[in-house]
């Protein structure tokens, strides 16, 4: 009898665990359709980890504005963009730390827009990043940092909800769709080494005047400088060149006083800093806001990303003496596969624009 | 065994329906009160244009209904763009910015851009600092020429340079 009771107990626990695991897989968002594709980005890295000379870290101003395929085709620079939606600097630090468990790039490029955020702006951004990370001591620290950042914003999150995401997404049962079944056990790739492609064009028509920034509000937050210091040290300790950039996105506003702080920081720490909003860079790169953006200048489209990559790739290769690896047959074959998928997606998006007026599988209808 | 299965079903039933937190990936709005019961702040600082009076937290659609579509507009969504966008509308003499709550856009800022328009108290770009202070009295705060006045759920910020008004902004105050 006792043996039977134990067996029933064990079977019940196993059954509970299996059901829990299955429900968690079913109810967690799959991020396979617009406008949530960004949620799939972080976990795509693990199948592409290693062998990258350049790693980009940051928010949509990196994953929409640079093309790793172009960097490879023009300069033989293998690269990956470890981007995520509105990535905060503490997230960038831990992503970088995690990346260094898989590879040691020669250059890390970090977009500095996130220096303006000292707290979580929206909790789903934490989920979209953290739920895609593999568990490691780094992820534990990242979760804690994100929870602290949410507390600063008055949003309460629990560590347990990251260990068991079902606790967070349990009520999604009423929102289940075909993606939840189709992508239950596997995902399709949505990026090209971290680049999220859009080929449509929506030119800049109007740039609003920025809010006045009072002198006492002009200083970038101390906690952001703390993480920037940690990122700088991490790169120094690993022999990596850290490059700071501000991508050529016209919004959110990037104030001159913030730019001056980044210039000063870069000078003090011997880092390169490029503000691609500066006229000299815009002219030299050939960025044209009437053709190279898909959302009125917030993000570049494929045309803009490729122009930026041609321009910045030359800078990276010359300044940091990056080798041209196109002569490596195995690497070339791997990148040829990536390029084939890249151009196939470009063709698919252009076909959808021709047929529907916008890339329906990749974006929501244009805002009216 | 039957009791164990019953307990299991009960546990999952509670898990799927309980706790009260939102389970989907759409976020609450950025800014705003986070509720759907947002009232225009008619008791605060208001702006009148072409006979229509606008106040903070008023629906953006009411502005358009009153004075028509803007000359130009743009939006500033978050990266993934799923939690709503802030709209920027350019009406030439002034600009309007909104914040989203539950798919509805509300006024978060009105900026007077030219001297063709003025505040309800008669202050415009180019007005003297003295006239501005006579109109509004003691500010809530002042720093480096930026005067801030608060009233109800709105804030009026007026920047003075070289003795004259150079910028005028209405801002919504969030609960």
């Amino acid at each position: 009898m006792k043996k039977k009771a134990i067996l029933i107990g064990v079977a019940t626990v196993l059954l509970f665990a299996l059901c829990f695991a299955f429900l968690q897989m079913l109810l967690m968002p799959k991020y396979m359709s617009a406008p949530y594709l960004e949620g799939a980005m972080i976990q795509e890295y693990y199948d592409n980890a290693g062998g990258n000379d350049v790693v980009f870290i940051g928010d949509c101003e990196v994953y929409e504005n640079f093309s790793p395929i172009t960097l490879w085709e023009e300069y033989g620079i293998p690269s990956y963009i470890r981007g995520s939606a509105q990535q905060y600097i503490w997230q960038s630090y831990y992503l970088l730390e995690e990346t260094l468990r898989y590879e040691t790039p020669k250059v890390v490029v970090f977009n500095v827009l996130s220096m303006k955020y000292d707290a979580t702006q929206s909790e789903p951004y934490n989920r979209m990043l953290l739920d895609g990370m593999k568990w490691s001591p780094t992820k534990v620290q990242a979760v804690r940092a994100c929870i602290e950042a949410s507390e600063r914003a008055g949003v309460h999150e629990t560590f347990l909800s990251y260990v068991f995401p079902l606790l967070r997404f349990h009520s999604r049962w009423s929102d289940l769709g075909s993606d939840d079944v189709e992508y239950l056990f596997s995902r399709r790739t949505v990026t090209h080494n971290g680049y999220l492609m859009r080929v449509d064009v929506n030119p800049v028509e109007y740039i609003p005047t920025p809010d006045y920034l009072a002198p006492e509000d002009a200083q970038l937050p101390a906690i952001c400088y703390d993480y920037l210091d940690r990122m700088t040290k991490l790169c120094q300790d690993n022999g990596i060149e850290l490059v700071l950039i501000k991508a050529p996105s016209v919004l959110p506003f990037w104030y001159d006083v913030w730019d001056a702080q980044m210039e000063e920081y870069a000078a003090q720490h011997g880092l390169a800093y490029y503000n691609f909003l500066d006229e000299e860079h815009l002219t030299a790169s050939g960025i044209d806001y009437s053709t190279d953006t898909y959302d009125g200048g917030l993000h570049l489209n494929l045309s803009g990303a490729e122009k930026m990559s041609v321009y910045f790739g030359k800078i990276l290769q010359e300044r940091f003496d990056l080798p041209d690896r196109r002569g490596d047959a195995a690497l070339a074959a791997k990148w040829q596969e990536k390029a084939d998928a890249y151009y196939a997606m470009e063709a698919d998006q252009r076909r959808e624009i021709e047929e529907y007026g916008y890339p329906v599988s990749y974006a929501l209808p244009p805002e009216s | 065994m039957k009791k164990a299965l019953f307990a299991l079903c009960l546990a999952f039933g509670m898990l799927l329906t309980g706790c009260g937190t939102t389970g989907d990936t759409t976020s609450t709005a950025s800014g705003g009160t986070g509720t759907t019961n947002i009232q225009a702040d008619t008791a605060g600082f208001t702006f009148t244009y072409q006979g229509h009076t606008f106040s903070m937290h008023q629906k953006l659609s009411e502005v358009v209904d009153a004075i028509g579509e803007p000359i130009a507009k743009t939006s500033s969504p978050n990266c993934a763009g799923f939690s709503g966008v802030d709209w920027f509308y350019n009406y030439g003499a002034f600009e309007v910015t909104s914040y989203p709550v539950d798919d509805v856009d509300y006024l978060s800022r009105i900026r007077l851009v030219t001297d063709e328009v003025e505040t309800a108290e008669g202050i415009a770009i180019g007005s003297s600092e003295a006239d501005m202070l006579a109109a509004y009295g003691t500010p809530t705060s002042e720093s480096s020429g930026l005067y801030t006045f608060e009233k109800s759920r709105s804030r009026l910020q007026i920047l003075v340079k070289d003795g004259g008004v150079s910028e005028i902004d209405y801002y919504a105050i969030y609960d």
Side-chain angles (χ1 to χ4, degrees), chain A residues 238-308:
Chain A
N238 286 274
I240 299 169
E241 295 282 357
L242 176 63
V243 179
L244 307 181
I245 66 166
K246 174 61 186 77
S249 298
V250 302
L251 287 174
F253 303 120
W254 181 248
Y255 293 92
D256 289 345
V257 67
W258 293 347
D259 194 55
Q261 288 172 54
M262 289 295 92
E263 281 191 356
E264 186 182 350
Y265 186 92
Q268 284 174 353
H269 294 83
L271 306 177
Y273 170 54
Y274 299 95
N275 181 354
F276 291 121
L277 286 164
D278 285 348
E279 201 55 49
E280 61 159 311
H281 293 305
L282 288 175
T283 304
S285 63
I287 292 294
D288 179 348
Y289 286 120
S290 67
T291 58
D292 295 336
T293 169
Y294 72 83
D295 55 4
L298 276 65
H299 308 98
L300 301 180
N301 58 15
L302 179 63
S303 170
E306 289 183 343
K307 285 181 184 176
M308 274 307 306

Side-chain angles (χ1 to χ4, degrees), chain A residues 8 11-12 15-16 19-20 23 27 29 31 35-36 38 59-61 63-64 84-87 121-125 128 166-173 175 205-212 214-216 251-253 295-296 298-299 364 367-368, chain B residues 1 4-5 8 11-12 14-30 71-83 85 87-91 94-97 109 111 113 143-146 157 159 161 167 169 171:
Chain A
I8 288 172
T12 304
L15 188 59
F16 179 86
C19 291
F20 189 97
L23 274 176
L27 291 173
Y31 304 116
Y36 306 125
E38 282 88 340
D59 54 21
C60 46
E61 292 195 0
Y63 69 71
E64 298 273 24
S84 62
Q86 200 167 51
Q87 189 179 108
Q121 302 299 299
S122 184
E123 178 264 0
Y125 293 129
M128 291 169 97
L166 180 61
L167 298 176
R168 167 65 173 82
F169 296 111
H170 58 86
S171 61
R172 269 197 82 240
W173 62 269
D175 295 318
E205 289 181 356
Y206 155 54
I207 301 175
T209 51
D211 288 343
Y212 174 76
E216 58 269 26
L251 287 174
F253 303 120
D295 55 4
L298 276 65
H299 308 98
L364 293 178
E367 293 276 353
S368 56
Chain B
M1 186 65 179
L5 282 173
L8 199 65
F12 277 113
M14 289 173 66
L15 182 64
L16 290 178
T17 58
C19 300
T21 56
T22 56
D24 63 30
T25 46
T26 56
S27 72
T28 55
S30 55
I71 298 167
K73 62 183 178 185
T74 190
S75 62
S76 177
N78 50 64
C79 285
F82 59 80
S83 61
V85 302
W87 281 102
F88 300 86
Y89 280 18
N90 180 1
Y91 281 100
F94 64 97
E95 294 176 340
V96 163
T97 306
R109 183 185 90 160
R111 158 162 288 196
V113 178
S143 172
S144 304
L146 181 69
Q157 283 194 327
L159 182 66
K161 281 185 180 174
E167 291 182 24
D169 289 284
Y171 286 102

Side-chain angles (χ1 to χ4, degrees), chain A residues 3 36 64 66 73 87 89 91 106-107 109 111 137 140 159 162 166 175 178 215 236 239 242 245 263 279 324 342 361:
Chain A
K3 202 184 250 184
Y36 306 125
E64 298 273 24
F66 296 95
E73 290 187 330
Q87 189 179 108
I89 190 169
Q91 295 173 339
K106 297 186 185 315
V107 177
V109 179
N111 186 59
V140 170
F159 191 90
Y162 284 97
L166 180 61
D175 295 318
S178 56
Q236 278 172 353
L242 176 63
I245 66 166
E263 281 191 356
E279 201 55 49
D324 180 343
Y342 177 86
S361 303

